Structure formats: C-alpha cells, structure tokens
Amino acid sequence: MAVTDTQRRAYLAAMEVTQWERRAITPPQAPALTVAPVVPASGASVAISVEPAGWEDLAAQVAACTKCELHTGRIQTVFGVGARHAEWLVIGEAPGAEEDKRGEPFVGRAGQLLNSMLAGIGLARETVYIANILKCRPPNNRDPKPDEVLCCEPYLMAQIALLQPKLILAVGRIAAQNLLKVQTPIGKLRGQRHAFGPQAIPLIVTYHPAYLLRSPSEKRRAWEDLLFAQRLFRELA
Ligand code: URA
C-alpha cells in the first residue's frame, strides 16, 4: 500500500519536518554513504539455535516459550508483524503494556510515531517487518536483562534467517547495542553503516520513538538517520 503525498505530509509533520518538498526526498544534507565506514559485526552469538520449519512453527515456539522469567508476567508473546518477504526489518527493544495486550509490536504512542517515521520515507507499516529484541514485556518497562536477551535471541535470529532482509533499522540503544554486541553510546552508532551477522546485512541505527516523544528536538537527527537508511537502501537495490 503506497503512502500518498497528503499522508506523507501529515507524517512528516509528526516528525517535525516542516520544509518537505517532493523533489527534496534525497536532500543534499543527507549523510554521504561514501564517508560512512562499514563497521564489522562481532558476530559473537549470531548462530541460529532454533531451526523452525517455517514462520508458523517459529511463532508457535515463541508463543509456548518459558525460557526466562518474563513468561510468568506476560499476557501474550509479541512475535512480530509485517510482510514476511519485507526488505526492511525494524527492530525495537521489547513490548510495552499496549503491545502485551494486543500481541503486536509498536502499537502504542511510540508505535504511531514509528509509523510516521517510516511513512516519511515512503514506507507503509505493513510493507516492512517489525520485531523486538524481546518477545515478552519486562515488568514496569525496565531494560531487558542480559539473560532474557540471550534466551530470546535465537527467535530473532530465526526471524532474520526466514526474512532475509536487505536492511535492518535498529531503533534505540537497546536494540542497537544488543544486535551489534557493543556498549557504544547510541549517538556514536548513528550515521554509520554497520554490518549484521555473517551475511553482513546493512544495519542503521536511529533513536527510539519513545525517546523522541520525550525529546522532540532529536527528531531532526532521527530524520537524518531515516534519509541515510533510505539512501543506502536505494544504493543496495
Ligand atoms: N517499544 C519497543 O521497543 N517495542 C515495542 O514493541 C513497543 C515499544
């Protein structure tokens, strides 16, 4: 489903991008790909340790998972949503209260802003795939614990293996640091082309929409990240 110009203007307004014109989709201020270094992934734990027969099997395994304590507090697991042949994979942190209730990632306020961010670069939510580092909601929305990430990682790796995305957009510090296996602050991870896993899938980092809701002045930087990702994706095609 294509995003219309009118819709895109509304979405860009949500991103506080006020000077949008059709011809400015790739504005000169977008970071040049040539100056962005390729950062090799450490690849420490990208092995797939679940080998599902397919998407449905994987979803069933996730729904039945009791590997960490988070299963005791969940309403339901939040597997992921979107096109199972999507070229873009968006990875967030973990479900919140609304996602736990509805069983779908990014459906609260942060999710609405994520939709606007994607639509700003012409991507309707249903055309990408959206998943999280964790499939279950941490209590009080605390940060994921390392053992929880470790338990959940094989599911995300299996999703990536099934999807084979062309580009990964890591939204927020938790997603970026866990995917890249680094402790580098998010500000330093932005603006670079990273490579994820043995297949070196291009990975771009941007701010989490929940953070942008708290710090709207950072939307400008997030918009630069999205343009950077869009430009990289076009170069890959
Ligand atoms: N924040 C996330 O990182 N993921 C969600 O699914 C919702 C909020």
Side-chain angles (χ1 to χ4, degrees):
M1 202 183 304
V3 178
T4 65
D5 279 1
T6 314
Q7 285 170 324
R8 187 178 298 178
R9 277 177 203 284
Y11 293 133
L12 288 172
M15 282 295 288
E16 296 175 28
V17 179
T18 51
Q19 292 181 338
W20 181 78
E21 294 172 36
R22 190 163 233 307
R23 64 183 161 74
I25 284 172
T26 310
Q29 67 267 32
L33 292 182
T34 43
V35 298
V38 172
V39 181
S42 65
S45 61
V46 291
I48 299 166
S49 59
V50 287
E51 291 185 12
W55 282 103
E56 296 313 321
D57 182 30
L58 181 59
Q61 288 188 40
V62 168
C65 182
T66 55
K67 287 203 274 177
C68 81
E69 66 174 17
L70 293 182
H71 79 277
T72 59
R74 75 184 176 217
I75 297 174
Q76 59 191 311
T77 55
V78 178
F79 179 68
V81 73
R84 290 178 174 179
H85 54 267
E87 295 178 313
W88 288 68
L89 171 60
V90 178
I91 302 180
E93 178 179 332
E98 196 59 28
E99 288 76 21
D100 187 38
K101 261 190 229 146
R102 291 179 44 190
E104 182 174 331
F106 283 104
V107 288
R109 275 186 72 218
Q112 284 168 18
L113 181 55
L114 177 66
N115 293 349
S116 294
M117 292 164 71
L118 294 171
I121 53 166
L123 295 171
R125 176 181 170 97
E126 10 359 300
T127 65
V128 305
Y129 196 85
I130 305 175
N132 281 312
I133 296 288
L134 293 189
K135 308 299 186 213
C136 293
R137 181 191 180 202
N140 306 314
N141 298 335
R142 64 154 169 75
D143 284 358
K145 293 181 184 169
D147 69 299
E148 294 160 357
V149 173
L150 217 58
C151 288
C152 229
E153 189 175 60
Y155 299 132
L156 182 60
M157 295 309 127
Q159 284 175 305
I160 294 172
L162 287 167
L163 191 65
Q164 301 202 7
K166 281 209 179 127
L167 189 142
I168 296 175
L169 183 66
V171 296
R173 174 182 65 86
I174 299 284
Q177 292 182 341
N178 281 292
L179 290 165
L180 295 170
K181 308 291 178 205
V182 295
Q183 291 298 312
T184 314
I186 186 165
K188 294 216 166 87
L189 296 173
R190 294 179 50 247
Q192 298 180 47
R193 173 183 172 166
H194 302 271
F196 176 80
Q199 290 173 309
I201 302 169
L203 184 152
I204 301 293
V205 173
T206 192
Y207 291 120
H208 195 288
Y211 168 73
L212 296 175
L213 288 170
R214 295 192 302 273
S215 310
S217 63
E218 299 287 27
K219 284 181 179 177
R220 187 181 54 79
R221 289 204 173 91
W223 178 238
E224 285 168 10
D225 298 335
L226 294 167
L227 292 174
F228 180 44
Q230 182 190 47
R231 186 156 165 214
L232 170 59
F233 180 79
R234 286 180 177 163
E235 294 211 359
L236 296 171

